[in-house]
Amino acid sequence: MSLLLGYMKQRKQYREHWVVALQNADVPVRLTAGMIDPISGAHMMVRYKALIPNADVVEVTDIGHYPQIESAELVLESIFGFIED
């Protein structure tokens, strides 16, 4: 289990690098997230929008940590909408 959670250390270690990369991305980026996810839901979306200029986000209500499983249709709509724009 500890190997699976290695990303927790990496989040702190590489935070600045990853945030700067998202802030300066020269390719389109969309974030789709479940708003009732206790780990990376509504609170994370607020922070993401504060850090990323002109953030392209899809906030999926009533969905938790696994939107691709909980509502595959909504995730597909988000993807197709993103690539069609």
Side-chain angles (χ1 to χ4, degrees):
M1 184 62 109
S2 64
L3 293 176
L4 293 174
L5 295 177
Y7 76 93
M8 295 301 287
K9 180 181 175 186
Q10 292 173 352
R11 282 177 46 184
K12 291 178 183 176
Q13 182 179 1
Y14 299 116
R15 180 193 183 282
E16 184 175 345
H17 175 77
W18 291 342
V19 169
V20 169
L22 284 168
Q23 289 171 330
N24 297 306
D26 58 359
V27 297
V29 176
R30 171 175 280 177
L31 174 63
T32 302
M35 292 297 94
I36 61 171
D37 179 350
I39 298 166
S40 56
H43 63 285
M44 184 276 307
M45 190 65 85
V46 169
R47 184 69 176 143
Y48 182 84
K49 289 191 283 188
L51 291 172
I52 308 304
N54 303 312
D56 179 355
V57 298
V58 175
E59 299 176 355
V60 185
T61 58
D62 300 323
I63 299 296
H65 191 66
Y66 299 101
Q68 71 278 13
I69 295 171
E70 297 173 56
S71 183
E73 298 83 12
L74 289 174
V75 172
L76 282 172
E77 287 176 22
S78 171
I79 294 167
F80 290 139
F82 180 67
I83 60 177
E84 291 172 356
D85 285 346

